[in-house]
Amino acid sequence: MLFRLLRLILILALVVSAPPSFEAMAQALGQGAAGLVTDQQKVIQGLTAKTDDLEKKLQQDGEDDASLVDIRLQLEDLSRSALTSALAFRSRLTDINNRIEVLGPPPAAGQPQEPDIVTGERQALASEKAEINAVVASAQNLSIRISGLIDKIGNMRSALFRNLLTKRYVLSDALSPQVFSDARDEFGNFYKAVSSWLSFAIKFKFQAILAATFVALGLALVLLVGGRRLFGRVFEADPSNEDPSYLSRLSVAFWSTLLPTLAVAAFLGSTIFFFNYYNVLRGDIGLFLNALATVIGVVFCVNRLTNAALEPRLPNWRLIPVETGPARWLVRLTTAMAVVISFNTFLSIVNDKMGSPLSLTIARSFVATIIVGVILILMAMLRPFKARDGSWRPWPAWLRYTSLGLGLFTIIAALLGYIGLALFVSLQVVVTGTALITAYIGFLSAREIGEEGAFANTSVGRWLSANSSYEDTALDQLGLVVSIAINLMIVLVFLPLILLMWGFQPGDIEAWAYKLATGINIGSVTISVTGILSGIVVFVIGYFLTRWFQGWLDGSVMARGKVDTGVRNSIRLAVGYAGVALAALVGISAAGIDLSSLALVAGALSLGIGFGLQNVVSNFVSGLILLAERPFKVGDWIVAGDVSGTVKKISVRATEIETFQRQSVILPNSNLINNAVGNWTHRNKLGRIDIKVGVAYGSDVKQVHAVLLDIARSHPLVLKNPEPFVLFSNFGPAALEFEIRVFLADVMNGNIVQNDVRFTVLEKFDDQHIEIPSTPRAVVEAKKHQAWPTDDDKIEADFAEQEEAKAQAEAESKKLPKPRKSKKPDPD
C-alpha cells in the first residue's frame, strides 16, 4: 500500500510539473503507432490478394510440375513477408508492455482512485495493443494459410510423379501402322518449321548468326586451350609413360572429361545466348535448339567419360583393367545408349511443341526403352577380362546381375505398358550413371591427392616445388586443401545435377539453398551455413590481425624502445591471448550463436573445472601470475629443483626450460609458483662463482694464497669491483682447501671462467712446485677362482674309479669275520 501511494504521488508530480510535454508525447506516440498499424494492415491486405491469385493459378496449372514449383516459391516469399510484417510490431509491443507494467494494475475496490490521465493512458495502451494483436493475428492466419497451400503443392507434385511412373498405356494403338504415317507427317511439319526459319535467318540474320557462332567458338577455344596450358599433363594421357601412377590415371580421366565437356557446354550455351541477344531465334526454334544443345552435351560427356576411363588406345592408362576389344565395345554401347536416350528426349520436346498424337509419343518411348534394355543386357553378357590361361572372364557377379536386371526390368516394363517407368529408369541409367561415375572418379582423385606426399608428385606440385619456396610439409598441407576443394566442387556441381535428373526442379534446389543459407531449425536451435561461414571468416580475420599486431608491436614499438626481452615476451603473449579471445567472441556472435544460451554449458564446465580440471586451472592461473609478476623471464637462467637451464618460453599452462645439455623440460606453472625457484639473472647478470682448490700439507699457504689471487685477478672476465677473493676455507682430511671467489658481469660465462682458472692453476702450481694431493686408494687383490675343468671325460672316469674303489672296500669289509665279545665272569 505504501509503495502504491508513493508511485501515485510521483505520477501526480510529473503531471503537474510538465503537463504540456506529457500530453504532446502521448499524442505523438499514438499517431506513430496508428500509422504503423495502418501501414501493416495495407501490407497484409496486399499479401492476402496475392495469395488469392496464386491459389487460383494453382487450380489452373495443377498438372505442370514446373509451374507448381514456381507457385511454391512465390508463396514462400509471401510467407516471409507476412512474418516480417508481424515482427514490425515487436519493439512497439515491448514498449507498451513496459509502460503498462510501470503504471501497474488499476486500483481495486475500496482503494483511492488514480488520476484520470493515468486511467486514460492505460486504456489507450490497451486499445493500441488490441489493434496490434489483431494485425499480428491476421499475419499469422495468412502465414498458416500459405503453409497449407505449400503442403498442398507438395502433395500434388508427389501425385504427378507417381502418376508418371505408374500410368499404364495401351500398346495396340501405339504399334499400329498408323504410327508410321503419323511419324512421316510429324517429320514433314518439323522440316517445314526448321527450313522456314533457316531461310528467314539466312536472309535477314546471317551476319548475326556468324557473329554469335564465332564469339561462342572463341569462348570455347579460350576455355579449352587455357585449360590445356593450365593443367598440362593432367589433361591428356602421355603415350610414352608405360607405368603411370593411379593418381595420374584418375586425374587424366577426370579432367579430360570435365574440361572438354565444359568447353562444349560453354560453346552451346553462349551460342544460344547470342542468338537470343540478336533476336535470331523464334519461340519454337529456340526450344528445339535448347533441346538439341542438351542432347549434344550429354552424348559428348558420356563419350568422353567412357573413353577416358577405358582408353581403348592406351591400355596402361585404363582405370578398369579390361582388354582392348571389350573396351572398344563398351565405349560404343555406352555412347549408343546415350544417343538413344538423348534423341528420344529431343523428339519428346518436338512432339510436345508440335502437338503430336499420343500414339506417336508412346511408340517413340517404347522403341527407345527397348533399345536401352537390350544394350544393358549386351553389356552384362560381355566378357571383358582375360585369365592367365587365355579364357575370357565375365564381369563381377554383382555388376553383371545389376546390369542384366536393369535391362530386363526396362524391357518388361515397356512391354507391359509402363512406358513412363521404363523411360525414367533408362534416363537415370544413362545420365545419373554418368554423373555418378564422373563424381566417383573425382572423389578418388581427391583422396589420392590428399595422401601424404602425393601432391608433391603431381605436375602442379613439381612446378610449385621448383618455382617457389614451399617445403615438403607445406606441399603436403596444400595437397589436403586441394583435396577438400575438389570434393567441395564435386558436391556443388554434381549434386544439383543429379537432383534435376531425378525430377526435382531448379526452384526446389533454390529453396533448399535458401533454407540452408538462412538457417535450419532443429528444435530450438537454428543452424545457418551462412552464419557459420561468416563466423569462421570473422575469426580468421581477427586471428591474423592479432598476429600482425603482435609482430608490429614487438618488432616496431618495443624493439625500438629497447624494452627488455622478458617484458616484450609477456606483452606479446598477453596481446595474443586477448586478441584470439576477442576474435572468438566476435566470430561466435557473427555466426548467430546467442552467448546467453551457453550459460548452461558454462555452468557445467565450471562444475567440471571444479572437480576434474583443478590442475589445468591452477597452471593457467599460475601462468597469468608469472606473466604479471615476472619472477623470471625468457632468457633467464633458473634452477627449479633438479632442473637447471635457460627459460625459452612462458605460456599460460607450462614453461619451457632448455638445459645446458640442450634438453627441453616442460614444467607446469604451478610447480614454479608453489616451489622455490632460483634465478641467476633475475635483476641483472652479475654473479659470483666459486672454484675449490686443494694443496698438500706442508705447502706454503701464503704463497698458495698469493698465486691463486694473482690468477683470479689476471682473468679478463673477472670484475675488479667487487674484487676477487681467495679464502682458506678448511683443513681437509687429505689437503689444505682454498676457494677462489670471483664476480662476473655475465654469470652465464661461469663455466668458461672456471675452465680457464683451473688450467692456469695447474700451470702455476707446476712452476711453483706446489703439490695438489690425491686421495690414496686401497689395493685389493682379486681372488683367483679355481679354473673350470676342460676335460669332462677324464673327470667322469676318475669319479667312476673312485666310486668303484669305495664299493670294493665296502664289500671286503663285509666278508671279514666279526670279533666275538668276551663274557664277564659271574660274581661269586
Side-chain angles (χ1 to χ4, degrees):
M1 185 66 180
L2 179 62
F3 290 107
R4 182 168 296 177
L5 290 175
L6 291 175
R7 185 176 61 191
L8 182 60
I9 294 172
L10 179 62
I11 294 174
L12 289 174
L14 291 174
V15 172
V16 172
S17 62
S21 61
F22 185 83
E23 294 176 357
M25 181 178 65
Q27 185 177 4
L29 289 174
Q31 292 177 355
L36 180 62
V37 171
T38 304
D39 293 340
Q40 295 304 320
Q41 285 178 345
K42 293 180 180 179
V43 170
I44 293 176
Q45 290 175 0
L47 295 176
T48 304
K50 293 180 180 179
T51 304
D52 295 336
D53 295 338
L54 290 177
E55 188 173 7
K56 294 178 182 179
K57 187 177 180 181
L58 178 62
Q59 296 175 358
Q60 297 174 358
D61 301 336
E63 299 297 327
D64 187 3
D65 187 68
S67 178
L68 291 177
V69 173
D70 182 63
I71 294 173
R72 191 194 69 182
L73 291 176
Q74 296 182 45
L75 288 173
E76 289 178 350
D77 291 336
L78 295 179
S79 178
R80 288 191 288 269
S81 299
L83 179 60
T84 303
S85 178
L87 294 177
F89 295 101
R90 175 181 293 179
S91 60
R92 181 55 186 161
L93 282 175
T94 302
D95 295 339
I96 292 175
N97 292 328
N98 293 335
R99 184 60 182 165
I100 292 176
E101 185 178 358
V102 170
L103 294 177
Q111 294 181 351
Q113 296 293 326
E114 61 183 1
D116 294 339
I117 189 171
V118 177
T119 304
E121 183 181 0
R122 182 182 289 107
Q123 293 175 354
L125 291 174
S127 176
E128 182 183 351
K129 184 176 181 180
E131 292 180 357
I132 292 176
N133 288 334
V135 177
V136 171
S138 300
Q140 292 177 347
N141 293 332
L142 180 60
S143 179
I144 294 173
R145 178 188 174 190
I146 293 174
S147 299
L149 292 176
I150 292 175
D151 294 337
K152 182 180 179 181
I153 290 175
N155 296 330
M156 294 174 65
R157 293 186 63 200
S158 299
L160 287 175
F161 186 71
R162 289 194 301 269
N163 184 45
L164 175 66
L165 297 183
T166 59
K167 186 176 182 179
R168 186 176 181 181
Y169 298 92
V170 180
L171 298 180
S172 58
D173 296 337
L175 301 179
S176 62
Q178 182 64 28
V179 174
F180 296 98
S181 61
D182 293 339
R184 186 166 50 254
D185 296 339
E186 189 74 18
F187 178 76
N189 295 332
F190 177 73
Y191 178 77
K192 290 179 182 178
V194 174
S195 60
S196 63
W197 172 76
L198 280 177
S199 60
F200 166 79
I202 292 174
K203 288 181 180 179
F204 302 101
K205 298 289 184 178
F206 183 71
Q207 294 181 353
I209 291 175
L210 288 180
T213 304
F214 280 115
V215 171
L217 185 61
L219 180 63
L221 289 177
V222 168
L223 181 61
L224 189 62
V225 174
R228 289 177 181 272
R229 296 182 64 87
L230 180 62
F231 292 94
R233 296 181 180 178
V234 302
F235 191 84
E236 291 183 352
D238 185 7
S240 61
N241 192 351
E242 297 181 356
D243 188 20
S245 63
Y246 187 62
L247 176 60
S248 299
R249 287 182 285 163
L250 284 172
S251 300
V252 168
F254 180 73
W255 293 111
S256 64
T257 300
L258 185 62
L259 292 178
T261 302
L262 290 178
V264 172
F267 169 71
L268 297 174
S270 56
T271 300
I272 295 174
F273 172 78
F274 286 115
F275 278 9
N276 289 320
Y277 180 79
Y278 290 114
N279 295 323
V280 176
L281 301 177
R282 66 189 189 198
D284 55 346
I285 300 300
L287 189 63
F288 297 158
L289 191 58
N290 286 328
L292 182 61
T294 304
V295 168
I296 295 174
V298 170
V299 173
F300 181 82
C301 180
V302 171
N303 182 262
R304 287 295 307 175
L305 177 62
T306 52
N307 275 286
L310 298 174
E311 280 292 350
R313 298 173 300 171
L314 301 173
N316 296 331
W317 286 88
R318 291 174 190 161
L319 293 178
I320 305 174
V322 298
E323 298 297 323
T324 302
R328 292 195 180 97
W329 275 107
L330 285 172
V331 173
R332 295 168 186 169
L333 291 175
T334 307
T335 305
M337 187 164 52
V339 169
V340 171
I341 290 296
S342 301
F343 188 66
N344 177 71
T345 304
F346 174 74
L347 291 180
S348 67
I349 295 176
V350 173
N351 293 338
D352 292 341
K353 186 63 179 178
M354 303 189 70
S356 302
L358 180 61
S359 59
L360 183 61
T361 302
I362 296 174
R364 168 185 49 76
S365 302
F366 176 79
V367 173
T369 53
I370 293 296
I371 294 175
V372 171
V374 171
I375 292 175
L376 288 173
I377 294 174
L378 292 176
M379 293 174 67
M381 298 176 61
L382 193 66
R383 294 177 178 268
F385 307 108
K386 184 178 287 187
R388 294 182 178 179
D389 57 357
S391 60
W392 293 92
R393 294 188 296 109
W395 294 104
W398 67 272
L399 183 59
R400 183 170 71 254
Y401 290 134
T402 300
S403 179
L404 187 63
L406 288 174
L408 291 175
F409 179 82
T410 303
I411 294 175
I412 293 173
L415 292 175
L416 293 177
Y418 295 100
I419 304 299
L421 178 60
L423 190 61
F424 178 79
V425 172
S426 302
L427 183 63
Q428 301 315 315
V429 167
V430 176
V431 181
T432 305
T434 302
L436 288 176
I437 292 174
T438 306
Y440 180 67
I441 293 175
F443 283 129
L444 291 178
S445 301
R447 187 180 67 181
E448 291 294 326
I449 290 175
E451 293 292 334
E452 185 176 0
F455 183 73
N457 296 325
T458 61
S459 58
V460 177
R462 289 191 294 268
W463 183 85
L464 288 175
S465 179
N467 296 277
S468 65
S469 59
Y470 286 113
E471 298 180 353
D472 293 339
T473 304
L475 288 176
D476 189 55
Q477 294 175 350
L478 185 60
L480 291 176
V481 174
V482 172
S483 175
I484 295 173
I486 293 176
N487 286 325
L488 184 61
M489 182 190 69
I490 292 171
V491 171
L492 294 178
V493 171
F494 288 96
L495 183 59
L497 180 61
I498 293 174
L499 292 176
L500 291 175
M501 292 302 104
W502 278 83
F504 295 96
Q505 298 293 331
D508 296 323
I509 301 175
E510 179 183 350
W512 294 338
Y514 179 81
K515 290 181 179 179
L516 189 64
T518 56
I520 301 174
N521 295 324
I522 302 177
S524 60
V525 180
T526 301
I527 300 176
S528 173
V529 176
T530 304
I532 293 174
L533 292 177
S534 301
I536 293 174
V537 170
V538 170
F539 174 74
V540 170
I541 293 175
Y543 176 81
F544 282 106
L545 284 177
T546 301
R547 295 306 181 206
W548 171 82
F549 182 74
Q550 276 184 296
W552 175 80
L553 183 64
D554 185 37
S556 299
V557 178
M558 293 188 292
R560 293 182 180 180
K562 307 298 182 182
V563 181
D564 183 75
T565 305
V567 178
R568 290 169 55 184
N569 179 71
S570 299
I571 294 176
R572 186 174 64 251
L573 288 176
V575 169
Y577 288 127
V580 172
L582 181 62
L585 291 176
V586 175
I588 292 174
S589 301
I593 300 175
D594 188 6
L595 295 178
S596 62
S597 63
L598 301 178
L600 182 61
V601 178
L605 286 177
S606 62
L607 184 62
I609 289 172
F611 288 98
L613 303 178
Q614 293 181 3
N615 292 333
V616 175
V617 175
S618 176
N619 291 326
F620 179 80
V621 175
S622 300
L624 296 179
I625 294 174
L626 291 177
L627 292 175
E629 292 187 354
R630 297 178 58 249
F632 53 83
K633 56 188 179 299
V634 174
D636 282 357
W637 174 16
I638 68 172
V639 178
D642 298 333
V643 179
S644 175
T646 305
V647 177
K648 288 297 181 182
K649 182 180 180 182
I650 304 174
S651 61
V652 293
R653 191 198 66 84
T655 297
E656 179 183 350
I657 300 174
E658 185 180 277
T659 65
F660 298 107
Q661 291 81 21
R662 299 297 181 182
Q663 179 189 25
S664 294
V665 180
I666 309 299
L667 286 180
N669 289 330
S670 59
N671 293 351
L672 300 174
I673 290 293
N674 298 326
N675 300 323
V677 178
N679 190 348
W680 284 93
T681 57
H682 179 46
R683 303 190 184 280
N684 51 56
K685 294 186 178 182
L686 177 66
R688 193 192 78 183
I689 61 172
D690 300 337
I691 307 169
K692 295 182 178 181
V693 180
V695 298
Y697 278 93
S699 302
D700 186 355
V701 292
K702 297 291 186 180
Q703 181 185 10
V704 172
H705 182 274
V707 171
L708 294 178
L709 188 58
D710 181 65
I711 292 173
R713 290 173 176 174
S714 62
H715 197 283
L717 295 180
V718 175
L719 295 178
K720 306 303 180 183
N721 186 20
E723 87 177 305
F725 179 72
V726 175
L727 177 66
F728 187 2
S729 60
N730 191 25
F731 294 97
L736 300 173
E737 298 177 357
F738 290 81
E739 283 187 9
I740 304 175
R741 298 179 179 180
V742 297
F743 290 88
L744 306 179
D746 188 356
V747 75
M748 304 295 290
N749 296 325
N751 289 332
I752 300 175
V753 175
Q754 288 177 347
N755 189 60
D756 295 341
V757 168
R758 289 190 180 104
F759 274 111
T760 308
V761 165
L762 289 176
E763 293 177 1
K764 295 292 185 180
F765 279 12
D766 186 56
D767 294 340
Q768 300 292 332
H769 303 289
I770 300 174
E771 181 181 357
I772 298 177
S774 60
T775 304
R777 299 179 181 271
V779 179
V780 180
E781 294 183 359
K783 183 179 179 180
K784 295 183 179 180
H785 297 279
Q786 187 176 358
W788 188 265
T790 57
D791 194 351
D792 294 338
D793 294 338
K794 183 179 179 181
I795 293 174
E796 292 178 0
D798 294 341
F799 180 75
E801 290 178 359
Q802 293 175 4
E803 292 295 327
E804 186 178 358
K806 289 180 181 180
Q808 289 179 359
E810 290 178 358
E812 290 178 358
S813 63
K814 290 180 180 180
K815 293 179 180 180
L816 294 176
K818 296 181 179 180
R820 294 182 180 181
K821 295 182 180 179
S822 58
K823 295 183 178 181
K824 294 182 179 180
D826 296 332
D828 294 337

